[in-house]
C-alpha cells in the first residue's frame, strides 16, 4: 500500500494523504480522522525519508547539548523533544564536551538532512553559523547568548534580572556577609547572573559581595566552593546543582545550619530543588515558554522569515522555599 493507492481508495489527492500525517498541516479534523482510520486498516505507514526527499525538508531538528550532567538539561531535553514532536518535528540529539564548540557536529547533522539546530549548552563559531545559515537552515541558541559577526536567534531566561531578585531578597532580609559562587567562566549564563547580582549592590551604593569561582556547574564544584565561604550568612550559587552541593557541604562538613546560619539561593528550579531534603529557594526559568518561543522561531525561519536575529529574554520567578529565611 502506497500513499497513491490510499489516496485513490479514498478519492482524495496524494498530497492530502501526506498532510494528514503532518500534525502541523492544515487538514479538516474529519478528513484527517478518515484518512488515518483508512491507513490503519490498510496497514499503511508513511515513508518519512521519501517525504523528506519530496519536500526537500526532513523536519528533523538537531539538539546539541554539552552539560547533560546538569539535571536542568535532561529535563529540558524531555520537554523540548515532546514539544517538537507536537509541532511535527523529530529530534536528533548530539552531545559535545563542555566548553567545546558545536562546529564539529555540523557535518554529521548535514548527513541526516537536519533542517535546524538548537544549541542548548554549546556554542557555535561565527564561521560555522554563517555556513549553516547559508544552507537555508535555522539555528537557535537556547538558554545561551552570543555575539559576533553572524548573529543567531536566541531564547533565554533574563538571567541578570533573576539574579537581581536574589540579591535584593538577601539584602532586604538583613543578610550582610554575602557570597556569589560563579559557575563556568565561559558561559553567558554565569556571566549574566553575576552581573545582575552585582548590579543590585551597585544600585544601593554597597560594596560588591565576595566572589568564589567554582569553575564548573556541578555538585562537586558547589561542595568545594561552599567550604571556602567562611562565615558568610548568605550565598547565591549560579545554578541549582551548585547550590545543592553547597548545602550538603555547609550542613555536613562545615556544621552550619541552613537557613538559620546561612541562607542559600540557586537558579533554574531543577526537580531536585523541591525535594524536602533541600527545599532550595531558587529562580525558576520559564522553560515551557522558552521552548514554545524557540519552536516558533524555528518554524518562522524555515518558512523564510527574513527579519534580523532575535534575542528573547523571558523573566525568572523567585520560588521561596526553606533554604532562605531573614537574618535573626
Amino acid at each position: 500500500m502506497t500513499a497513491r493507492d490510499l489516496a485513490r481508495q479514498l478519492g482524495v489527492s496524494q498530497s492530502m494523504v501526506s498532510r494528514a500525517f503532518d500534525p502541523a498541516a492544515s487538514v479538516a479534523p474529519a478528513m484527517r480522522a478518515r484518512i488515518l482510520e483508512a491507513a490503519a486498516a490498510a496497514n499503511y505507514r508513511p515513508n518519512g525519508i521519501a517525504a523528506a526527499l519530496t519536500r526537500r525538508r526532513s523536519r528533523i531538528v538537531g539538539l546539541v547539548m554539552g552539560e547533560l550532567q546538569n539535571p536542568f538539561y535532561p529535563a529540558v531535553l524531555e520537554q523540548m523533544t515532546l514539544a517538537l514532536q507536537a509541532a511535527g518535528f523529530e529530534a536528533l540529539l548530539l552531545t559535545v564536551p563542555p566548553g567545546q564548540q558545536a562546529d564539529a557536529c555540523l557535518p554529521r547533522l548535514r548527513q541526516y538532512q537536519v533542517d535546524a539546530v538548537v544549541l542548548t549548552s554549546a556554542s557555535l563559531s561565527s564561521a560555522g553559523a554563517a555556513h549553516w545559515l547559508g544552507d537555508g537552515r535555522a539555528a537557535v541558541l537556547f538558554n545561551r547568548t552570543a555575539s559576533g559577526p553572524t548573529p543567531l536567534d536566541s531564547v533565554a531566561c533574563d538571567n541578570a534580572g533573576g539574579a537581581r531578585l536574589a540579591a535584593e531578597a538577601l539584602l532586604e532580609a538583613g543578610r550582610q556577609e554575602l557570597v556569589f559562587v560563579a559557575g563556568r567562566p565561559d558561559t553567558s549564563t554565569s556571566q549574566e547572573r553575576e552581573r545582575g547580582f552585582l548590579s543590585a549592590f551597585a544600585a544601593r551604593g554597597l560594596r560588591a559581595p565576595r566572589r568564589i569561582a567554582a569553575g564548573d556547574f556541578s555538585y562537586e564544584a558547589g561542595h568545594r566552593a561552599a567550604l571556602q565561604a567562611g562565615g558568610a550568612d548568605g550565598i547565591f550559587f549560579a545554578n541549582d546543582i551548585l547550590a545543592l552541593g553547597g548545602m550538603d557541604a555547609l550542613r555536613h562538613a562545615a556544621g552550619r545550619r541552613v537557613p538559620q546560619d546561612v541562607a542559600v539561593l540557586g537558579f533554574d528550579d531543577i526537580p531536585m530543588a523541591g525535594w524536602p531534603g533541600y527545599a532550595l529557594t531558587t529562580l525558576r526559568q520559564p522553560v515551557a515558554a522558552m521552548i514554545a518561543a524557540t519552536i516558533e522561531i524555528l518554524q518562522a525561519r524555515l518558512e523564510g522569515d527574513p527579519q534580523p536575529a532575535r534575542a528573547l529574554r523571558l523573566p525568572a520567578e523567585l520560588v521561596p522555599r526553606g533554604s532562605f529565611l531573614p537574618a535573626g
Side-chain angles (χ1 to χ4, degrees):
M1 173 67 73
T2 67
R4 183 178 291 106
D5 296 332
L6 185 62
R8 186 182 303 114
Q9 175 183 314
L10 293 172
V12 301
S13 67
Q14 185 176 341
S15 64
M16 176 63 76
V17 170
S18 299
R19 293 203 306 276
F21 285 90
D22 182 355
S26 177
V27 179
M31 175 60 73
R32 189 190 301 273
R34 180 185 171 214
I35 293 173
L36 296 181
E37 182 179 346
N43 198 29
Y44 167 77
R45 297 178 181 83
N47 186 323
I49 296 175
L53 291 172
T54 299
R55 63 177 177 245
R56 302 179 67 85
R57 288 291 186 191
S58 66
R59 298 196 69 80
I60 297 175
V61 175
L63 303 180
V64 181
M65 294 187 167
E67 294 178 14
L68 287 175
Q69 79 280 6
N70 178 353
F72 176 73
Y73 286 107
V76 166
L77 175 62
E78 179 181 15
Q79 294 182 57
M80 180 78 77
T81 300
L82 292 173
L84 285 168
Q85 291 172 346
F89 294 99
E90 293 297 337
L92 175 66
L93 173 65
L94 283 85
T95 59
V96 297
Q100 180 175 311
Q101 290 188 319
D103 295 51
C105 295
L106 299 185
R108 295 165 60 193
L109 291 171
R110 286 191 177 89
Q111 287 178 359
Y112 291 97
Q113 297 299 311
V114 169
D115 289 339
V117 63
V118 176
L119 299 110
T120 64
S121 50
S123 59
L124 190 62
S125 72
S126 290
H131 193 192
W132 180 262
L133 298 178
D135 286 346
R137 307 172 199 265
V140 178
L141 298 172
F142 183 91
N143 196 36
R144 282 288 184 275
T145 59
S147 58
T150 306
L152 293 174
D153 291 307
S154 64
V155 177
C157 177
D158 180 2
N159 291 298
R164 279 194 299 273
L165 291 177
E168 289 163 0
L170 288 166
L171 291 170
E172 291 171 7
R175 302 285 176 165
Q176 298 182 1
E177 294 296 322
L178 301 180
V179 168
F180 173 75
V181 176
R184 273 187 39 214
D186 61 340
T187 61
S188 60
T189 48
S190 185
Q191 295 166 8
E192 291 170 1
R193 291 169 190 178
E194 181 172 4
R195 185 166 63 248
F197 193 66
L198 296 177
S199 70
F201 294 83
R204 298 182 182 217
L206 301 174
R207 64 180 176 84
R210 189 153 63 93
R211 179 185 192 273
I212 296 175
D216 196 6
F217 286 117
S218 68
Y219 176 94
E220 294 77 13
H223 195 282
R224 292 191 300 268
L227 297 180
Q228 303 173 42
D233 63 359
I235 306 176
F236 175 48
F237 290 84
N239 79 346
D240 284 352
I241 195 64
L242 284 170
L244 300 188
M247 287 177 70
D248 283 344
L250 292 167
R251 289 168 168 169
H252 306 304
R256 306 196 69 197
R257 298 172 302 165
V258 177
Q260 294 87 347
D261 299 331
V262 54
V264 174
L265 285 82
F267 205 118
D268 287 340
D269 196 28
I270 62 175
M272 294 166 62
W275 290 3
Y278 291 110
L280 175 66
T281 295
T282 187
L283 281 303
R284 176 180 294 158
Q285 294 208 53
V287 172
M290 290 163 61
I291 290 173
T294 298
I295 294 175
E296 182 178 341
I297 291 173
L298 287 179
Q299 290 172 322
R301 293 303 186 196
L302 292 175
E303 291 170 3
D305 182 359
Q307 294 188 29
R310 283 166 278 191
L312 297 185
R313 300 293 174 266
L314 304 181
E317 175 190 358
L318 182 64
V319 181
R321 296 194 182 101
S323 70
F324 171 81
L325 288 175

